[in-house]
């Protein structure tokens, strides 16, 4: 069987690089390579040492001291197999253990940095996933840092990932309260091709956060409500946060503030803090102003979607103000009607 050295030499494009046997061996990653410079263009498994610019350094096996250069642009296929540490880190992302995943992904990205120039390399995938974790955690300061120092080349990102990166840069501006830049970037993103629902949701969240920081409560509510609908359950952490930001907006409304100060309502709120199933009496339910009713509906929606998340006591005025709607009279009558005896089967 021909050695990889002979195959590359016959191709006439590879350069043999001397290796000091005493130096520390670089990482060698298993990859599927299909190049006109290798094995007559047939797909083969090789070990990748690095990818820099248009040069891919390869070896035949883990101990070979013969390292060869193959032009990246000659590769129809260059697929670096997933490494166990990358698989482990990505499984943490799938389990929404974002903080643990970020630490492992950062380590993976640095460990395999020599392959960063390869499309879909483990290092690039780790950088992409690390940024996504920061977005899912809504750690806008870290999102800003990661997005602005993102090392993966644009040509190695799919159109979707390119959009993700631009949206992350915008989300990072929330930490710096750069309202005008957020609005400008959000407006320009309308021209981005094929935005996914979650990408649109993130743009709406940024606009909602921007409106909140400017005290534009109704505008914030509109954007946050659209964000929640667009998320469609895809990101529970952001979904919960969106509903809580909506409740924060309602707390700023004048009619909510005045209703909360009513002595009877205030007393019920104090009781609720001790007994969580406490509700307003029917006569006060009827007095609820519009924004209290809407806030109560959002509170109930959060309780329905995210029962494991305990909402803070500051939302108590909404907790005591939600009464499930009565079923239609026909349904209520049918539910309360006594069961009819079943007739005996005909003989």
């Amino acid at each position: 069987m021909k050695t990889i050295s002979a195959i590359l030499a016959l191709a006439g494009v590879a350069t043999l690089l001397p290796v000091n046997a005493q130096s520390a061996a670089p990482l060698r990653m298993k990859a599927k390579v299909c190049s006109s410079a290798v094995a007559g263009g047939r797909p083969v498994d090789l070990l990748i040492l690095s990818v820099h610019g248009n040069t891919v350094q390869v070896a035949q096996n883990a101990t070979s001291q013969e390292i060869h250069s193959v032009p990246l642009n000659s590769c129809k296929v260059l697929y670096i197999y997933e490494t166990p540490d990358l698989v482990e880190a990505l499984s943490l992302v799938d389990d929404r253990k974002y903080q643990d995943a970020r630490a492992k992904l950062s380590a993976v990205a640095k460990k395999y940095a020599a392959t960063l120039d390869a499309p879909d390399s483990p290092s690039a995938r780790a950088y992409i996933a690390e940024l996504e974790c920061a977005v899912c955690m809504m750690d806008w300061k870290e999102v800003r840092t990661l997005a602005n120092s993102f090392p993966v080349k644009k040509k190695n990102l799919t159109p979707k990932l390119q959009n993700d990166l631009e949206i992350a840069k915008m989300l990072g501006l929330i930490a710096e309260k750069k309202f005008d830049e957020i609005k400008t970037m959000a407006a320009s993103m309308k021209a981005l091709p094929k935005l996914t629902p979650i990408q649109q949701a993130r743009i709406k969240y940024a606009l909602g956060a921007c409106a909140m920081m400017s005290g534009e409560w109704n505008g914030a509510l509109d954007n946050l409500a659209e964000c929640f609908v667009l998320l469609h359950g895809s990101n529970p952490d952001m979904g919960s946060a969106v509903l809580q930001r909506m409740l924060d907006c309602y707390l700023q409304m004048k009619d909510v503030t005045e209703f909360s100060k009513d002595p009877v309502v205030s007393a019920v709120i104090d009781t609720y803090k001790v007994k969580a199933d406490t509700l307003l009496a029917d006569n006060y339910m009827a007095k609820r102003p519009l924004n209290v009713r809407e806030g109560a509906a959002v509170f109930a929606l959060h309780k329905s979607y995210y029962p494991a998340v305990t909402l803070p006591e500051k939302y108590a005025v909404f907790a005591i103000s939600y009464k499930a709607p009565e079923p239609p009279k026909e349904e209520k009558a049918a539910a309360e009607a006594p069961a009819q005896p079943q007739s005996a089967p005909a003989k």
Side-chain angles (χ1 to χ4, degrees), residues 13-207:
V13 294
T15 303
L16 184 62
L17 302 177
V19 176
N20 183 350
Q22 302 301 316
S23 63
L27 288 170
R28 301 186 179 200
M29 307 176 66
K30 187 178 178 182
K32 179 72 71 178
V33 180
C34 181
S35 165
S36 58
V38 178
R42 300 188 306 276
V44 292
D45 281 341
L46 298 173
L47 296 181
I48 302 291
L49 283 75
S50 69
V51 182
H52 292 298
N54 192 45
T55 302
V56 183
Q57 291 190 334
V58 300
Q60 185 179 16
N61 55 54
T63 59
S64 174
Q65 297 301 305
E66 294 183 352
I67 299 174
H68 303 269
S69 294
V70 175
L72 179 60
N73 59 11
S74 74
C75 298
K76 293 181 180 178
V77 175
L78 177 60
Y79 175 74
I80 303 175
Y81 292 102
E82 287 187 328
T83 60
D85 46 2
L86 177 60
V87 171
E88 180 186 1
L90 293 177
S91 69
L92 291 172
V93 178
D94 292 339
D95 293 337
R96 293 170 47 212
K97 297 178 180 178
Y98 300 124
Q99 189 63 56
D100 294 339
R102 279 170 62 178
K104 289 185 179 295
L105 289 165
S106 179
V108 169
K110 293 177 176 64
K111 181 178 179 181
Y112 303 114
T115 66
L116 187 59
D117 285 354
D120 205 32
S121 74
S123 182
R125 292 184 63 187
Y127 276 117
I128 292 164
E130 184 183 8
L131 177 59
E132 178 66 13
C133 284
V135 171
C136 290
M137 292 177 68
M138 306 177 78
D139 183 350
W140 305 131
K141 185 176 180 180
E142 187 65 14
V143 168
R144 179 75 166 157
T145 300
L146 291 171
N148 286 347
S149 60
F150 199 66
V152 183
K153 293 181 178 179
K154 184 177 181 179
K155 67 178 183 179
N156 287 341
L157 296 173
T158 64
K160 176 188 176 299
L161 290 175
Q162 291 178 29
N163 289 345
D164 282 343
L165 179 58
E166 292 306 307
I167 292 169
K169 290 178 180 178
M170 180 190 63
L171 291 168
L173 295 172
I174 295 174
E176 300 179 20
K177 300 182 180 180
K178 294 186 176 180
F179 312 140
D180 291 338
E181 287 188 46
I182 290 174
K183 292 177 182 178
T184 300
M185 290 187 71
S188 68
M189 285 174 185
K190 292 180 180 179
L192 292 177
K194 297 182 180 179
L195 287 174
T196 66
I198 194 167
Q199 289 172 338
Q200 296 175 57
R202 289 172 177 178
I203 294 171
K204 290 294 182 181
Y205 182 87
L207 289 172

